[in-house]
Amino acid sequence: MVYKNYVLLLGADQYLRERALAGIRELTQYPIWTASVEAKYKKNRYFDYNLEADPQDEISLLEAIERQKLKGWSPKAIIPLNDWTLKVAHKLNKKLGLTNMPEKVIELSRNKDIMKNAFLENGLPTAPFRLINNEKELLLASEEVGYPAIIKPFDFGGSGGVYLANNISEAIECLKKSKKVVSKYANDFGIDGSSFIFEKYIKSEEEISIEVVCYDGEYKVLAVTEKYLTPEPRFAEIGHLVPSHRTEDENLKEIACKACGSLGITMGLAHVEVKIQNNKPWIIEVGARPAGDGIMDLIERVFDINPYKLHAASYLNINPFEFFSTSLEPNGTAAIAFLKAEPGVISNIKQPINLPEEVESLWIHAQIGNYSEEAKCWKDREGVIELFWDQTFDYKPTKPLLISEYLSSEIFTVKEVVKYHD
């Protein structure tokens, strides 16, 4: 049978990843499909077709693909866009004889223990750490690594279950809280969550991500992104800005590319997170997929290139470096910041009439009656704003946070302000 081909995107229907569809339409004329549970009841009309399958489940996806083969359709590529679909996409690509990365590479990019060991083996700077499973191992890690320390699940993301401990008693409590977070989200995100990382805390407010294009052993930095985090002891990401004033730092770019190479990432975009303390970079982790939180949209706004197009190219055996030079010139600065109400019950939501001129868009997803918690991770957000300036900055501006704080105070009324306890 001569099959008609399609491109299957996994994770593209996730909020703030929608531009993947536009980028891949620039690249190919193949129909673009997605997969979702109960697809007939939750049809996504932006895609050409919805497979009736769980995008994180290999068996249901394979069964759905085989059903479509009987109708004359076969995937040209299966492209993952987030951590949760990374493993299943590459396993299916391998089974179907499509372009894929080895399972070992996927494991390296999802398991923070073996990932950080790979960094060390390749002479890359990463904080001292130990893998722990229980309180006894935590006590040993305390003696070897010391304090302050970060405790986090070894295979989760989005700042979920990440806690700061300054002593042994806090560490024991943090481990309990991290285990609680894992038990809550393990099924939804397909994580193991049986082990945790005990890591020396690099005390610094300076954190960036470096977006790297990977193809056939070659690596090029697409953009450097400034991150905005909540103050200690929280580490929730509350904003991002492109381009960073560190964009021309060749040392940072070299370290990011070397980090991708140390994990064996050979295709698509990689998201490298770096902490900077006293001008010294420390690699936190690397994701073998495009960045989330709208960072790809910021890059597109500033550099007039859709990063998802580059990501998809290598999955379709097209050299992504054909589409961009090594020195993209920004046309301004773009940022995204998340709206946050005070802790308590939201009693009123008022859409502001006059927005600051920098605001390109505002979206509120919270509803009256919702309980707003102190920002700890990706889920503690009430909305989002996108901003743009027709200039670049030679420093990290505070404007995204100031505008977000101002608008949050204008939009949300909280009936009772409470102090949140984990």
Side-chain angles (χ1 to χ4, degrees):
M1 179 185 292
V2 177
Y3 291 109
K4 294 176 287 185
N5 290 128
Y6 61 92
V7 175
L8 179 59
L9 294 188
L10 300 181
D13 50 350
Q14 181 182 351
Y15 177 54
L16 292 177
R17 294 185 189 268
E18 304 93 338
R19 291 293 297 167
L21 191 63
I24 297 168
R25 286 211 188 279
E26 287 183 24
L27 185 69
T28 179
Q29 296 299 309
Y30 292 120
I32 301 174
W33 293 15
T34 188
S36 59
V37 178
E38 298 183 335
K40 289 185 179 180
Y41 298 97
K42 302 176 182 177
K43 185 175 181 178
N44 189 326
R45 297 181 181 276
Y46 291 101
F47 289 88
D48 297 306
Y49 189 78
N50 282 35
L51 286 179
E52 181 83 25
D54 182 346
Q56 297 176 203
D57 181 66
E58 178 187 355
I59 294 174
S60 69
L61 275 170
L62 187 58
E63 288 175 347
I65 289 169
E66 292 301 324
R67 287 194 297 270
Q68 292 302 317
K69 277 193 172 183
L70 296 175
K71 300 177 182 180
W73 288 97
S74 182
K76 183 70 173 178
I78 301 173
I79 305 175
L81 295 175
N82 57 28
D83 281 329
W84 328 123
T85 59
L86 190 61
K87 187 173 183 178
V88 66
H90 285 283
K91 288 180 75 171
L92 288 175
N93 278 330
K94 183 177 180 180
K95 281 188 176 181
L96 297 170
L98 305 174
T99 305
N100 65 88
M101 283 191 289
E103 192 169 346
K104 179 183 177 182
V105 176
I106 305 306
E107 182 70 8
L108 280 165
S109 69
R110 295 290 295 119
N111 183 319
K112 294 179 175 65
D113 175 41
I114 57 176
M115 176 194 295
K116 291 172 76 66
N117 275 308
F119 295 157
L120 293 173
E121 290 168 6
N122 286 271
L124 291 162
T126 193
F129 74 99
R130 294 292 182 273
L131 183 71
I132 62 172
N133 294 282
N134 50 50
E135 192 173 310
K136 181 179 179 181
E137 293 177 357
L138 183 149
L139 296 175
L140 292 173
S142 296
E143 295 177 2
E144 296 173 347
V145 175
Y147 291 95
I150 296 294
I151 295 172
K152 58 186 177 184
F154 82 116
D155 62 345
F156 201 21
S159 302
V162 180
Y163 294 98
L164 172 64
N166 292 294
N167 51 57
I168 187 63
S169 61
E170 288 185 10
I172 292 171
E173 186 61 28
C174 288
L175 180 59
K176 291 178 181 177
K177 291 190 291 187
S178 193
K179 286 183 175 181
K180 186 177 179 180
V181 170
V182 166
S183 65
K184 183 175 180 180
Y185 294 106
N187 289 336
D188 291 340
F189 295 100
I191 61 173
D192 180 301
S194 60
S195 300
F196 300 81
I197 297 293
F198 185 101
E199 176 182 292
K200 186 72 174 178
Y201 175 48
I202 305 300
K203 186 176 178 60
S204 172
E205 295 180 0
E206 299 302 310
E207 187 171 323
I208 62 172
S209 65
I210 304 172
E211 323 312 330
V212 181
V213 182
C214 313
Y215 185 69
D216 197 25
E218 188 175 356
Y219 305 93
K220 292 183 181 179
V221 170
L222 179 63
V224 181
T225 305
E226 285 291 327
K227 288 183 176 290
Y228 297 89
L229 308 177
T230 51
E232 292 181 11
R234 310 294 186 193
F235 304 99
E237 296 178 358
I238 53 176
H240 307 276
L241 179 141
V242 176
S244 164
H245 61 284
R246 310 173 207 270
T247 294
E248 301 305 320
D249 189 322
E250 295 301 325
N251 181 49
L252 280 177
K253 292 195 280 190
E254 182 180 352
I255 286 173
C257 292
K258 191 174 179 181
C260 295
S262 74
L263 302 184
I265 301 172
T266 57
M267 55 193 294
L269 287 171
H271 178 63
V272 184
E273 295 186 341
V274 177
K275 196 94 167 176
I276 299 173
Q277 183 188 60
N278 299 326
N279 293 320
K280 179 179 179 179
W282 296 86
I283 299 176
I284 304 171
E285 58 191 62
V286 176
R289 42 75 184 170
D293 274 359
I295 291 174
M296 299 293 96
D297 298 8
L298 303 182
I299 293 172
E300 183 177 14
R301 178 70 176 85
V302 167
F303 294 114
D304 296 321
I305 186 168
N306 187 306
Y308 295 108
K309 177 180 179 179
L310 307 177
H311 180 65
S314 59
Y315 283 80
L316 291 164
N317 296 312
I318 301 170
N319 187 341
F321 302 130
E322 295 178 6
F323 303 112
F324 83 105
S325 65
T326 55
S327 56
L328 295 173
E329 289 296 324
N331 57 37
T333 299
I336 190 169
F338 298 99
L339 299 173
K340 189 78 206 87
E342 291 291 327
V345 177
I346 297 174
S347 60
N348 192 30
I349 296 175
K350 180 180 65 175
Q351 184 163 302
I353 298 174
N354 297 312
L355 293 173
E357 62 179 359
E358 300 95 334
V359 176
E360 294 276 303
S361 72
L362 180 150
W363 186 67
I364 302 166
H365 58 74
Q367 298 179 351
I368 293 173
N370 286 170
Y371 185 84
S372 169
E373 294 186 354
E374 186 176 340
K376 305 183 301 302
C377 62
W378 86 97
K379 67 180 181 63
D380 302 317
R381 299 164 174 172
E382 278 72 60
V384 61
I385 55 171
E386 294 176 286
L387 308 106
F388 182 79
W389 295 267
D390 59 1
Q391 66 176 98
T392 57
F393 298 91
D394 58 4
Y395 60 95
K396 182 179 181 178
T398 58
K399 288 182 177 182
L401 295 190
L402 294 176
I403 294 173
S404 174
E405 290 170 3
Y406 163 71
L407 288 174
S408 295
S409 66
E410 290 286 302
I411 293 168
F412 303 109
T413 301
V414 177
K415 183 166 57 178
E416 53 180 285
V417 177
V418 298
K419 185 175 181 180
Y420 176 74
H421 296 281
D422 287 312

mmCIF file with all atom_site columns, all heavy atoms in Angstrom, residues 249-272:
data_model
loop_
_atom_site.group_PDB
_atom_site.id
_atom_site.type_symbol
_atom_site.label_atom_id
_atom_site.label_alt_id
_atom_site.label_comp_id
_atom_site.label_asym_id
_atom_site.label_entity_id
_atom_site.label_seq_id
_atom_site.pdbx_PDB_ins_code
_atom_site.Cartn_x
_atom_site.Cartn_y
_atom_site.Cartn_z
_atom_site.occupancy
_atom_site.B_iso_or_equiv
_atom_site.pdbx_formal_charge
_atom_site.auth_seq_id
_atom_site.auth_comp_id
_atom_site.auth_asym_id
_atom_site.auth_atom_id
_atom_site.pdbx_PDB_model_num
ATOM 1   N N   . ASP A 1 249 ? 27.934 36.434 25.102 1.00 0.00 ? 249 ASP A N   1
ATOM 2   C CA  . ASP A 1 249 ? 28.903 35.763 25.979 1.00 0.00 ? 249 ASP A CA  1
ATOM 3   C C   . ASP A 1 249 ? 29.269 34.410 25.373 1.00 0.00 ? 249 ASP A C   1
ATOM 4   O O   . ASP A 1 249 ? 28.520 33.437 25.485 1.00 0.00 ? 249 ASP A O   1
ATOM 5   C CB  . ASP A 1 249 ? 28.298 35.577 27.376 1.00 0.00 ? 249 ASP A CB  1
ATOM 6   C CG  . ASP A 1 249 ? 29.316 35.098 28.406 1.00 0.00 ? 249 ASP A CG  1
ATOM 7   O OD1 . ASP A 1 249 ? 30.172 34.270 28.047 1.00 0.00 ? 249 ASP A OD1 1
ATOM 8   O OD2 . ASP A 1 249 ? 29.226 35.525 29.573 1.00 0.00 ? 249 ASP A OD2 1
ATOM 9   N N   . GLU A 1 250 ? 30.416 34.337 24.735 1.00 0.00 ? 250 GLU A N   1
ATOM 10  C CA  . GLU A 1 250 ? 30.817 33.122 24.023 1.00 0.00 ? 250 GLU A CA  1
ATOM 11  C C   . GLU A 1 250 ? 31.076 31.962 24.970 1.00 0.00 ? 250 GLU A C   1
ATOM 12  O O   . GLU A 1 250 ? 30.872 30.800 24.604 1.00 0.00 ? 250 GLU A O   1
ATOM 13  C CB  . GLU A 1 250 ? 32.068 33.400 23.180 1.00 0.00 ? 250 GLU A CB  1
ATOM 14  C CG  . GLU A 1 250 ? 31.842 34.394 22.042 1.00 0.00 ? 250 GLU A CG  1
ATOM 15  C CD  . GLU A 1 250 ? 30.770 33.914 21.065 1.00 0.00 ? 250 GLU A CD  1
ATOM 16  O OE1 . GLU A 1 250 ? 30.674 32.700 20.829 1.00 0.00 ? 250 GLU A OE1 1
ATOM 17  O OE2 . GLU A 1 250 ? 30.024 34.774 20.552 1.00 0.00 ? 250 GLU A OE2 1
ATOM 18  N N   . ASN A 1 251 ? 31.525 32.255 26.185 1.00 0.00 ? 251 ASN A N   1
ATOM 19  C CA  . ASN A 1 251 ? 31.767 31.192 27.165 1.00 0.00 ? 251 ASN A CA  1
ATOM 20  C C   . ASN A 1 251 ? 30.464 30.490 27.526 1.00 0.00 ? 251 ASN A C   1
ATOM 21  O O   . ASN A 1 251 ? 30.392 29.253 27.584 1.00 0.00 ? 251 ASN A O   1
ATOM 22  C CB  . ASN A 1 251 ? 32.420 31.764 28.422 1.00 0.00 ? 251 ASN A CB  1
ATOM 23  C CG  . ASN A 1 251 ? 32.709 30.687 29.460 1.00 0.00 ? 251 ASN A CG  1
ATOM 24  O OD1 . ASN A 1 251 ? 33.286 29.649 29.157 1.00 0.00 ? 251 ASN A OD1 1
ATOM 25  N ND2 . ASN A 1 251 ? 32.288 30.947 30.690 1.00 0.00 ? 251 ASN A ND2 1
ATOM 26  N N   . LEU A 1 252 ? 29.411 31.280 27.754 1.00 0.00 ? 252 LEU A N   1
ATOM 27  C CA  . LEU A 1 252 ? 28.106 30.697 28.072 1.00 0.00 ? 252 LEU A CA  1
ATOM 28  C C   . LEU A 1 252 ? 27.605 29.830 26.918 1.00 0.00 ? 252 LEU A C   1
ATOM 29  O O   . LEU A 1 252 ? 27.092 28.723 27.131 1.00 0.00 ? 252 LEU A O   1
ATOM 30  C CB  . LEU A 1 252 ? 27.087 31.806 28.351 1.00 0.00 ? 252 LEU A CB  1
ATOM 31  C CG  . LEU A 1 252 ? 27.097 32.454 29.730 1.00 0.00 ? 252 LEU A CG  1
ATOM 32  C CD1 . LEU A 1 252 ? 26.070 33.571 29.787 1.00 0.00 ? 252 LEU A CD1 1
ATOM 33  C CD2 . LEU A 1 252 ? 26.823 31.420 30.815 1.00 0.00 ? 252 LEU A CD2 1
ATOM 34  N N   . LYS A 1 253 ? 27.736 30.333 25.719 1.00 0.00 ? 253 LYS A N   1
ATOM 35  C CA  . LYS A 1 253 ? 27.244 29.594 24.554 1.00 0.00 ? 253 LYS A CA  1
ATOM 36  C C   . LYS A 1 253 ? 28.033 28.299 24.351 1.00 0.00 ? 253 LYS A C   1
ATOM 37  O O   . LYS A 1 253 ? 27.456 27.255 24.010 1.00 0.00 ? 253 LYS A O   1
ATOM 38  C CB  . LYS A 1 253 ? 27.306 30.482 23.307 1.00 0.00 ? 253 LYS A CB  1
ATOM 39  C CG  . LYS A 1 253 ? 26.315 31.648 23.371 1.00 0.00 ? 253 LYS A CG  1
ATOM 40  C CD  . LYS A 1 253 ? 26.113 32.309 22.027 1.00 0.00 ? 253 LYS A CD  1
ATOM 41  C CE  . LYS A 1 253 ? 27.219 33.252 21.695 1.00 0.00 ? 253 LYS A CE  1
ATOM 42  N NZ  . LYS A 1 253 ? 26.908 34.072 20.483 1.00 0.00 ? 253 LYS A NZ  1
ATOM 43  N N   . GLU A 1 254 ? 29.319 28.370 24.585 1.00 0.00 ? 254 GLU A N   1
ATOM 44  C CA  . GLU A 1 254 ? 30.153 27.171 24.445 1.00 0.00 ? 254 GLU A CA  1
ATOM 45  C C   . GLU A 1 254 ? 29.764 26.112 25.475 1.00 0.00 ? 254 GLU A C   1
ATOM 46  O O   . GLU A 1 254 ? 29.662 24.919 25.154 1.00 0.00 ? 254 GLU A O   1
ATOM 47  C CB  . GLU A 1 254 ? 31.630 27.540 24.610 1.00 0.00 ? 254 GLU A CB  1
ATOM 48  C CG  . GLU A 1 254 ? 32.567 26.361 24.432 1.00 0.00 ? 254 GLU A CG  1
ATOM 49  C CD  . GLU A 1 254 ? 34.035 26.742 24.610 1.00 0.00 ? 254 GLU A CD  1
ATOM 50  O OE1 . GLU A 1 254 ? 34.331 27.952 24.716 1.00 0.00 ? 254 GLU A OE1 1
ATOM 51  O OE2 . GLU A 1 254 ? 34.877 25.825 24.654 1.00 0.00 ? 254 GLU A OE2 1
ATOM 52  N N   . ILE A 1 255 ? 29.537 26.539 26.711 1.00 0.00 ? 255 ILE A N   1
ATOM 53  C CA  . ILE A 1 255 ? 29.145 25.605 27.771 1.00 0.00 ? 255 ILE A CA  1
ATOM 54  C C   . ILE A 1 255 ? 27.796 24.965 27.454 1.00 0.00 ? 255 ILE A C   1
ATOM 55  O O   . ILE A 1 255 ? 27.598 23.758 27.647 1.00 0.00 ? 255 ILE A O   1
ATOM 56  C CB  . ILE A 1 255 ? 29.104 26.337 29.124 1.00 0.00 ? 255 ILE A CB  1
ATOM 57  C CG1 . ILE A 1 255 ? 30.534 26.600 29.623 1.00 0.00 ? 255 ILE A CG1 1
ATOM 58  C CG2 . ILE A 1 255 ? 28.317 25.554 30.169 1.00 0.00 ? 255 ILE A CG2 1
ATOM 59  C CD1 . ILE A 1 255 ? 30.610 27.453 30.864 1.00 0.00 ? 255 ILE A CD1 1
ATOM 60  N N   . ALA A 1 256 ? 26.862 25.765 26.945 1.00 0.00 ? 256 ALA A N   1
ATOM 61  C CA  . ALA A 1 256 ? 25.533 25.240 26.616 1.00 0.00 ? 256 ALA A CA  1
ATOM 62  C C   . ALA A 1 256 ? 25.623 24.189 25.514 1.00 0.00 ? 256 ALA A C   1
ATOM 63  O O   . ALA A 1 256 ? 24.991 23.129 25.601 1.00 0.00 ? 256 ALA A O   1
ATOM 64  C CB  . ALA A 1 256 ? 24.617 26.377 26.190 1.00 0.00 ? 256 ALA A CB  1
ATOM 65  N N   . CYS A 1 257 ? 26.396 24.473 24.489 1.00 0.00 ? 257 CYS A N   1
ATOM 66  C CA  . CYS A 1 257 ? 26.541 23.516 23.390 1.00 0.00 ? 257 CYS A CA  1
ATOM 67  C C   . CYS A 1 257 ? 27.242 22.248 23.862 1.00 0.00 ? 257 CYS A C   1
ATOM 68  O O   . CYS A 1 257 ? 26.856 21.132 23.476 1.00 0.00 ? 257 CYS A O   1
ATOM 69  C CB  . CYS A 1 257 ? 27.313 24.149 22.236 1.00 0.00 ? 257 CYS A CB  1
ATOM 70  S SG  . CYS A 1 257 ? 26.406 25.473 21.390 1.00 0.00 ? 257 CYS A SG  1
ATOM 71  N N   . LYS A 1 258 ? 28.243 22.410 24.706 1.00 0.00 ? 258 LYS A N   1
ATOM 72  C CA  . LYS A 1 258 ? 28.972 21.251 25.229 1.00 0.00 ? 258 LYS A CA  1
ATOM 73  C C   . LYS A 1 258 ? 28.056 20.401 26.120 1.00 0.00 ? 258 LYS A C   1
ATOM 74  O O   . LYS A 1 258 ? 28.149 19.168 26.122 1.00 0.00 ? 258 LYS A O   1
ATOM 75  C CB  . LYS A 1 258 ? 30.195 21.705 26.018 1.00 0.00 ? 258 LYS A CB  1
ATOM 76  C CG  . LYS A 1 258 ? 31.154 20.583 26.375 1.00 0.00 ? 258 LYS A CG  1
ATOM 77  C CD  . LYS A 1 258 ? 32.424 21.107 27.021 1.00 0.00 ? 258 LYS A CD  1
ATOM 78  C CE  . LYS A 1 258 ? 33.368 19.957 27.395 1.00 0.00 ? 258 LYS A CE  1
ATOM 79  N NZ  . LYS A 1 258 ? 34.607 20.451 28.049 1.00 0.00 ? 258 LYS A NZ  1
ATOM 80  N N   . ALA A 1 259 ? 27.153 21.057 26.856 1.00 0.00 ? 259 ALA A N   1
ATOM 81  C CA  . ALA A 1 259 ? 26.203 20.328 27.705 1.00 0.00 ? 259 ALA A CA  1
ATOM 82  C C   . ALA A 1 259 ? 25.286 19.457 26.855 1.00 0.00 ? 259 ALA A C   1
ATOM 83  O O   . ALA A 1 259 ? 25.013 18.297 27.199 1.00 0.00 ? 259 ALA A O   1
ATOM 84  C CB  . ALA A 1 259 ? 25.384 21.299 28.549 1.00 0.00 ? 259 ALA A CB  1
ATOM 85  N N   . CYS A 1 260 ? 24.814 19.997 25.732 1.00 0.00 ? 260 CYS A N   1
ATOM 86  C CA  . CYS A 1 260 ? 23.962 19.210 24.827 1.00 0.00 ? 260 CYS A CA  1
ATOM 87  C C   . CYS A 1 260 ? 24.740 18.033 24.254 1.00 0.00 ? 260 CYS A C   1
ATOM 88  O O   . CYS A 1 260 ? 24.221 16.913 24.159 1.00 0.00 ? 260 CYS A O   1
ATOM 89  C CB  . CYS A 1 260 ? 23.442 20.093 23.698 1.00 0.00 ? 260 CYS A CB  1
ATOM 90  S SG  . CYS A 1 260 ? 22.345 21.418 24.247 1.00 0.00 ? 260 CYS A SG  1
ATOM 91  N N   . GLY A 1 261 ? 25.995 18.281 23.901 1.00 0.00 ? 261 GLY A N   1
ATOM 92  C CA  . GLY A 1 261 ? 26.821 17.204 23.369 1.00 0.00 ? 261 GLY A CA  1
ATOM 93  C C   . GLY A 1 261 ? 27.103 16.126 24.393 1.00 0.00 ? 261 GLY A C   1
ATOM 94  O O   . GLY A 1 261 ? 27.175 14.944 24.059 1.00 0.00 ? 261 GLY A O   1
ATOM 95  N N   . SER A 1 262 ? 27.245 16.515 25.659 1.00 0.00 ? 262 SER A N   1
ATOM 96  C CA  . SER A 1 262 ? 27.538 15.537 26.711 1.00 0.00 ? 262 SER A CA  1
ATOM 97  C C   . SER A 1 262 ? 26.396 14.556 26.914 1.00 0.00 ? 262 SER A C   1
ATOM 98  O O   . SER A 1 262 ? 26.599 13.440 27.385 1.00 0.00 ? 262 SER A O   1
ATOM 99  C CB  . SER A 1 262 ? 27.851 16.256 28.035 1.00 0.00 ? 262 SER A CB  1
ATOM 100 O OG  . SER A 1 262 ? 26.676 16.793 28.624 1.00 0.00 ? 262 SER A OG  1
ATOM 101 N N   . LEU A 1 263 ? 25.173 14.981 26.544 1.00 0.00 ? 263 LEU A N   1
ATOM 102 C CA  . LEU A 1 263 ? 24.006 14.105 26.670 1.00 0.00 ? 263 LEU A CA  1
ATOM 103 C C   . LEU A 1 263 ? 23.715 13.363 25.367 1.00 0.00 ? 263 LEU A C   1
ATOM 104 O O   . LEU A 1 263 ? 22.816 12.521 25.325 1.00 0.00 ? 263 LEU A O   1
ATOM 105 C CB  . LEU A 1 263 ? 22.773 14.924 27.077 1.00 0.00 ? 263 LEU A CB  1
ATOM 106 C CG  . LEU A 1 263 ? 22.879 15.719 28.387 1.00 0.00 ? 263 LEU A CG  1
ATOM 107 C CD1 . LEU A 1 263 ? 21.548 16.402 28.694 1.00 0.00 ? 263 LEU A CD1 1
ATOM 108 C CD2 . LEU A 1 263 ? 23.303 14.839 29.550 1.00 0.00 ? 263 LEU A CD2 1
ATOM 109 N N   . GLY A 1 264 ? 24.434 13.708 24.325 1.00 0.00 ? 264 GLY A N   1
ATOM 110 C CA  . GLY A 1 264 ? 24.239 13.029 23.049 1.00 0.00 ? 264 GLY A CA  1
ATOM 111 C C   . GLY A 1 264 ? 23.031 13.491 22.275 1.00 0.00 ? 264 GLY A C   1
ATOM 112 O O   . GLY A 1 264 ? 22.535 12.772 21.398 1.00 0.00 ? 264 GLY A O   1
ATOM 113 N N   . ILE A 1 265 ? 22.533 14.695 22.563 1.00 0.00 ? 265 ILE A N   1
ATOM 114 C CA  . ILE A 1 265 ? 21.354 15.202 21.849 1.00 0.00 ? 265 ILE A CA  1
ATOM 115 C C   . ILE A 1 265 ? 21.759 15.513 20.411 1.00 0.00 ? 265 ILE A C   1
ATOM 116 O O   . ILE A 1 265 ? 22.639 16.335 20.169 1.00 0.00 ? 265 ILE A O   1
ATOM 117 C CB  . ILE A 1 265 ? 20.802 16.461 22.545 1.00 0.00 ? 265 ILE A CB  1
ATOM 118 C CG1 . ILE A 1 265 ? 20.420 16.145 23.990 1.00 0.00 ? 265 ILE A CG1 1
ATOM 119 C CG2 . ILE A 1 265 ? 19.586 17.004 21.789 1.00 0.00 ? 265 ILE A CG2 1
ATOM 120 C CD1 . ILE A 1 265 ? 20.044 17.357 24.816 1.00 0.00 ? 265 ILE A CD1 1
ATOM 121 N N   . THR A 1 266 ? 21.109 14.870 19.473 1.00 0.00 ? 266 THR A N   1
ATOM 122 C CA  . THR A 1 266 ? 21.521 14.985 18.069 1.00 0.00 ? 266 THR A CA  1
ATOM 123 C C   . THR A 1 266 ? 20.487 15.640 17.177 1.00 0.00 ? 266 THR A C   1
ATOM 124 O O   . THR A 1 266 ? 20.733 15.804 15.976 1.00 0.00 ? 266 THR A O   1
ATOM 125 C CB  . THR A 1 266 ? 21.822 13.588 17.495 1.00 0.00 ? 266 THR A CB  1
ATOM 126 O OG1 . THR A 1 266 ? 20.652 12.764 17.655 1.00 0.00 ? 266 THR A OG1 1
ATOM 127 C CG2 . THR A 1 266 ? 23.000 12.942 18.187 1.00 0.00 ? 266 THR A CG2 1
ATOM 128 N N   . MET A 1 267 ? 19.334 16.011 17.743 1.00 0.00 ? 267 MET A N   1
ATOM 129 C CA  . MET A 1 267 ? 18.297 16.587 16.894 1.00 0.00 ? 267 MET A CA  1
ATOM 130 C C   . MET A 1 267 ? 17.367 17.478 17.685 1.00 0.00 ? 267 MET A C   1
ATOM 131 O O   . MET A 1 267 ? 17.165 17.296 18.887 1.00 0.00 ? 267 MET A O   1
ATOM 132 C CB  . MET A 1 267 ? 17.499 15.484 16.214 1.00 0.00 ? 267 MET A CB  1
ATOM 133 C CG  . MET A 1 267 ? 16.902 14.475 17.157 1.00 0.00 ? 267 MET A CG  1
ATOM 134 S SD  . MET A 1 267 ? 16.278 12.979 16.334 1.00 0.00 ? 267 MET A SD  1
ATOM 135 C CE  . MET A 1 267 ? 14.939 13.659 15.372 1.00 0.00 ? 267 MET A CE  1
ATOM 136 N N   . GLY A 1 268 ? 16.829 18.482 17.010 1.00 0.00 ? 268 GLY A N   1
ATOM 137 C CA  . GLY A 1 268 ? 15.826 19.352 17.613 1.00 0.00 ? 268 GLY A CA  1
ATOM 138 C C   . GLY A 1 268 ? 16.409 20.423 18.508 1.00 0.00 ? 268 GLY A C   1
ATOM 139 O O   . GLY A 1 268 ? 17.619 20.645 18.576 1.00 0.00 ? 268 GLY A O   1
ATOM 140 N N   . LEU A 1 269 ? 15.522 21.112 19.194 1.00 0.00 ? 269 LEU A N   1
ATOM 141 C CA  . LEU A 1 269 ? 15.923 22.155 20.130 1.00 0.00 ? 269 LEU A CA  1
ATOM 142 C C   . LEU A 1 269 ? 16.220 21.567 21.503 1.00 0.00 ? 269 LEU A C   1
ATOM 143 O O   . LEU A 1 269 ? 15.605 20.582 21.914 1.00 0.00 ? 269 LEU A O   1
ATOM 144 C CB  . LEU A 1 269 ? 14.814 23.198 20.262 1.00 0.00 ? 269 LEU A CB  1
ATOM 145 C CG  . LEU A 1 269 ? 14.610 24.134 19.075 1.00 0.00 ? 269 LEU A CG  1
ATOM 146 C CD1 . LEU A 1 269 ? 13.345 24.949 19.260 1.00 0.00 ? 269 LEU A CD1 1
ATOM 147 C CD2 . LEU A 1 269 ? 15.801 25.055 18.904 1.00 0.00 ? 269 LEU A CD2 1
ATOM 148 N N   . ALA A 1 270 ? 17.131 22.204 22.203 1.00 0.00 ? 270 ALA A N   1
ATOM 149 C CA  . ALA A 1 270 ? 17.432 21.852 23.593 1.00 0.00 ? 270 ALA A CA  1
ATOM 150 C C   . ALA A 1 270 ? 17.347 23.104 24.441 1.00 0.00 ? 270 ALA A C   1
ATOM 151 O O   . ALA A 1 270 ? 17.672 24.211 23.990 1.00 0.00 ? 270 ALA A O   1
ATOM 152 C CB  . ALA A 1 270 ? 18.811 21.216 23.713 1.00 0.00 ? 270 ALA A CB  1
ATOM 153 N N   . HIS A 1 271 ? 16.895 22.911 25.669 1.00 0.00 ? 271 HIS A N   1
ATOM 154 C CA  . HIS A 1 271 ? 16.673 24.013 26.608 1.00 0.00 ? 271 HIS A CA  1
ATOM 155 C C   . HIS A 1 271 ? 17.653 23.835 27.766 1.00 0.00 ? 271 HIS A C   1
ATOM 156 O O   . HIS A 1 271 ? 17.501 22.932 28.592 1.00 0.00 ? 271 HIS A O   1
ATOM 157 C CB  . HIS A 1 271 ? 15.226 23.952 27.091 1.00 0.00 ? 271 HIS A CB  1
ATOM 158 C CG  . HIS A 1 271 ? 14.849 24.979 28.105 1.00 0.00 ? 271 HIS A CG  1
ATOM 159 N ND1 . HIS A 1 271 ? 14.864 26.336 27.845 1.00 0.00 ? 271 HIS A ND1 1
ATOM 160 C CD2 . HIS A 1 271 ? 14.412 24.849 29.396 1.00 0.00 ? 271 HIS A CD2 1
ATOM 161 C CE1 . HIS A 1 271 ? 14.453 26.990 28.921 1.00 0.00 ? 271 HIS A CE1 1
ATOM 162 N NE2 . HIS A 1 271 ? 14.185 26.111 29.874 1.00 0.00 ? 271 HIS A NE2 1
ATOM 163 N N   . VAL A 1 272 ? 18.681 24.698 27.814 1.00 0.00 ? 272 VAL A N   1
ATOM 164 C CA  . VAL A 1 272 ? 19.754 24.583 28.803 1.00 0.00 ? 272 VAL A CA  1
ATOM 165 C C   . VAL A 1 272 ? 19.553 25.644 29.883 1.00 0.00 ? 272 VAL A C   1
ATOM 166 O O   . VAL A 1 272 ? 19.545 26.837 29.588 1.00 0.00 ? 272 VAL A O   1
ATOM 167 C CB  . VAL A 1 272 ? 21.137 24.766 28.142 1.00 0.00 ? 272 VAL A CB  1
ATOM 168 C CG1 . VAL A 1 272 ? 22.249 24.549 29.168 1.00 0.00 ? 272 VAL A CG1 1
ATOM 169 C CG2 . VAL A 1 272 ? 21.299 23.816 26.954 1.00 0.00 ? 272 VAL A CG2 1
#
